Amino acid sequence: ECNTVVFLRVNIRVMDILQIAINQAGSVNQLAKSLGVVPSAIGNWKSRGLPKSWQIALSLKYKAAIKKANDSHIREICKVII
């Protein structure tokens, strides 16, 4: 927590959501299998961007891991501010 009152709105970037999902699943192949898509679809998302519908789906499926990453990012910002 910051010792200083700071108003921050920190959002994990869209591509960070995809990387968090891959890390949580264990691999691109395992993530693809859990989502019912082929691994090349995930490769396409990495190069072309994550479609909005999948942003929502991954954000819901990996909500806890995304929150943890976001909280960690906020703590790092607080260290820089203080």
Side-chain angles (χ1 to χ4, degrees):
E1 253 184 65
C2 291
N3 293 329
T4 308
V5 176
V6 179
F7 295 96
L8 299 170
R9 181 181 166 106
V10 178
N11 291 319
I12 296 292
R13 294 177 313 176
V14 171
M15 296 313 287
D16 290 339
I17 293 170
L18 181 56
Q19 191 57 55
I20 289 167
I22 293 167
N23 293 346
Q24 290 293 302
S27 69
V28 168
N29 288 340
Q30 289 175 311
L31 178 61
K33 184 176 180 179
S34 75
L35 298 176
V37 299
V38 294
S40 61
I42 294 174
N44 286 338
W45 298 344
K46 286 174 116 178
S47 62
R48 298 182 184 150
L50 186 60
K52 187 71 169 176
S53 59
W54 285 107
Q55 290 176 33
I56 295 166
L58 293 177
S59 293
L60 292 173
K61 185 174 176 92
Y62 296 102
K63 184 177 180 176
I66 292 167
K67 182 182 181 326
K68 182 177 178 182
N70 195 50
D71 291 349
S72 175
H73 186 66
I74 290 171
R75 281 192 298 277
E76 290 301 314
I77 290 172
C78 288
K79 287 179 187 175
V80 171
I81 292 171
I82 297 174

